Amino acid sequence: MMKILKKSGALSLGDMNDDTEIRRAPRPRRRSVTRRHLHRGHFGFLRAIIQGLHARPMWERFLLDEGEIEAEAELAAAAPEAGDDEATLEDRAARRFAGHPKVGRVTAWLRGELAAAAGRAGRYGMARLVRADFRQIGRPGEGLPSLEDFAAEAGLERFASAEQFEAYRARFGRAVDREAKRTALVRRQLEALDWLEGQYAHPVLAGDACRTWLADTLATRLEAAGVATLSDLIDRINGLGNGPGHGWTRGLPGFGAGKARAIEAFLRIHAETLGKGIGAHVAVPRRQRDAHELAAVVPRGSREGALVPLEKLVMPAELDGRAGAYRLPQARCLIGARTDHEAVLTWLRSKPGLPPDEVARLRERCRDLTTVPGPLEWLNYLSNTQRAYRKEAERFLLWALLVRRKPLSSMDTDDCLAYCDFLAAPPAHWCAPRSRERWSPLWRPFEGPLNPRAQSYAVGVLASLYRYLNDKNYLAGNPWQGIQVPKSARPELDVGRSLTAGQWAFVAGCLARLAPTSANHRLQVALPLLYATGLRLSEVVSVTTNDLEWVSLPGADGGDREEGWWLTVLGKGNKLRRVPLPDAAIDALGRYLVARGFAADPAANRLAGGVALLGHATDQAERAPWARRDTASADAGLAATTLYRQIKRFFQACAAELAPDDARGADHLAAASTHWMRHTHISHALAAGAPLEAVKQNAGHASLNTTTRYVTTEDAKRMVAMKKFWAR
């Protein structure tokens, strides 16, 4: 049959002859989907159906947001029969796909929506026209040859076109008339569709609610996860990526790979009107993405007025601090900063950073030959102290800009008091889980309300910032100077966040029963190492075999020499310390190194950068063949977040096993984390009679006062004595 690809003048339904056969599409049932808007893809698909085009490629081009349709049924229905040619098979497949229940429902819904729109506009003839299905006018299955084919078959190639058409009409007669009527009716239907598209097609915008374009069931699940608009949805996809099984759909029930692909296709089709799209990084495994690719996900200055990290922040001219109320003349300033943002970066850079060799090692690991390092590249290599200070400064800077609408250099004491209230209850849209990385559009400055101890720390850091700016003649005053921290908010170490001897014995038993996997083997090394040394999480993931040393020391009081392994650790405040290791920990580490393909003796693994004591899983391909491969080298270190999550999950599993026998102990164990192992090491070492000074040096405490807070033996003796008294 002829396919109509062009559009021409509109006619009314009343121009049709009485003998025209019309097959009306069934009326759509009332469904919640009728609340959705129509976009240009809906009109494009219906236009293709009216013209008799193959429905499958049109569905995939325009309506993947309605969901995917299996191809197997279509292929089976198009199985060849005797005498079938390729065109016949294609036509049969097209008709069978067009008759798929989902295609039929969507087509009927579109016709019903457009008919209702035409009726509201008072165009009742047009309403009847768009409901009609003219594809079956004429006898089903009857095909008319083209005029050229007929002329060749009848030997009329040398005749004039008028004579050929006269013979063609004489041969096929009524069928030609009926085809001409169908063609004219389809042309009018297309033109009605053009008019309706101009009146009722809505552009797909980033601020539109998901419910506007997606099915109600999907929109409800997205809203429950905090994804209200299409902009939020794009941010979630860009922030979490796909990963195994489409990572952005994790935690969303009912979202399989098919629905995820359909939604992504819909967003890509309408990227122009959305003004933002899905980044190319989404389909790449996390460890294969270069730093510049991640940095481009949220370009610097691309989201004015949005919550972005310090390195992405571009301050509006009226709020950048050049005209701050308490700014001193630039000629008197001892730093080159012209804006508040530059002043904060200068203050941050003045804090103790990583040693040069550590920065060089990190740069070599993250080297990206395709880009030239920018002026803010140093922000990728901060010490723990600098990262902690950056967090507090960027929170206050964002609050000043977005909430107070004042530059940092115009803040007064009233503003600071208001910020203290804000710290206790930040809005939900300022908060996100810690796992949201800084490059991600899902990053937020807070995880939730700050406890009094964290509020006190924030006030102390900001007071330090303003003191620095005062000392450098950038500002004329310190608004934090008159703010007193309540005694109840003073930071205290919670020594209760540790395991008892019985709980640690139970955990050790659970650890020994773990299945023999590479990740479990790593855990069987990591937990005893944390217990034996009291290392911080950041310290244990950064040490390598190069940091281990066999040392022979003169014996005390002229006794035998003391020999053993020592671990050199770069700790808090960029301070080096040495920690002794037990032989059992070294033996377990040797077996773990062998399992990773290295020598058991740590001294035999002195590579250029050393072998990380805790590495990546080596059996991922066997245990999770469906997952994307981890491309990290065998000697590379583990991310702190990976070890933290693994230990949290392990403690929760231990708590579930303990719950039937000790519910209170199980609750305590379920809350445990990596830092509890540090507290446990200090408490157990002191209880076992280890000298206070020795424990202080192992833990890296600056003062004995910090270490003595863990001394609980006297409290235990007091409790025993009081229980005897109470028993009387």
Side-chain angles (χ1 to χ4, degrees), residues 361-627:
R361 186 178 68 84
L362 292 174
R363 279 188 173 137
E364 181 64 24
R365 180 189 297 179
C366 305
R367 185 173 58 177
D368 181 4
L369 300 178
T370 63
T371 59
V372 178
L376 299 181
E377 189 221 5
W378 62 274
L379 287 169
N380 297 321
Y381 313 111
L382 300 180
S383 65
N384 291 337
T385 299
Q386 287 176 314
R387 285 199 296 269
Y389 280 27
R390 177 186 61 183
K391 177 173 64 175
E392 303 303 338
E394 75 186 350
R395 284 173 172 176
F396 187 56
L397 186 57
L398 287 169
W399 178 83
L401 296 179
L402 303 180
V403 177
R404 215 64 172 177
R405 300 298 298 170
K406 294 174 67 175
L408 207 69
S409 51
S410 295
M411 305 301 283
D412 54 30
T413 300
D414 290 336
D415 296 319
C416 295
L417 290 172
Y419 181 66
C420 290
D421 295 335
F422 182 84
L423 291 177
H429 68 278
W430 280 67
C431 304
R434 182 187 301 182
S435 58
R436 305 298 186 249
E437 298 182 68
R438 296 180 67 83
W439 60 264
S440 169
L442 300 179
W443 174 89
R444 294 296 181 269
F446 291 90
E447 295 177 52
L450 269 60
N451 59 36
R453 182 174 58 181
Q455 294 175 39
S456 174
Y457 179 79
V459 169
V461 171
L462 294 174
S464 170
L465 166 63
Y466 274 83
R467 277 196 303 271
Y468 176 87
L469 298 180
N470 290 166
D471 293 343
K472 299 301 181 182
N473 288 339
Y474 182 84
L475 291 180
N478 187 346
W480 292 97
Q481 188 172 0
I483 297 178
Q484 299 294 325
V485 179
K487 291 184 178 180
S488 60
R490 292 191 186 279
E492 293 290 342
L493 287 172
D494 182 6
V495 296
R497 294 189 304 163
S498 62
L499 305 181
T500 66
Q503 289 170 343
W504 171 244
F506 177 80
V507 166
C510 294
L511 197 63
R513 296 194 300 272
L514 288 176
T517 69
S518 178
N520 287 343
H521 195 176
R522 178 180 65 211
L523 188 63
Q524 289 168 337
V525 172
L527 271 180
L529 184 63
L530 289 170
Y531 177 77
T533 61
L535 295 181
R536 299 179 177 91
L537 174 62
S538 60
E539 295 168 350
V540 77
V541 297
S542 64
V543 289
T544 69
T545 51
N546 288 0
D547 299 317
L548 285 167
E549 181 183 8
W550 176 264
V551 178
S552 179
L553 299 172
D557 300 326
D560 295 337
R561 299 185 66 85
E562 289 292 340
E563 297 181 335
W565 287 95
W566 290 74
L567 179 66
T568 302
V569 179
L570 181 65
K572 190 174 182 180
N574 202 24
K575 296 177 181 178
L576 280 175
R577 72 181 190 276
R578 291 202 310 169
V579 180
L581 267 68
D583 292 340
I586 294 296
D587 293 341
L589 177 62
R591 292 190 293 272
Y592 178 53
L593 288 172
V594 169
R596 292 161 58 194
F598 299 101
D601 184 0
N605 295 299
R606 295 193 177 277
L607 306 177
V611 177
L613 298 192
L614 301 178
H616 296 260
T618 59
D619 58 357
Q620 182 185 13
E622 295 79 13
R623 301 194 64 81
W626 61 87

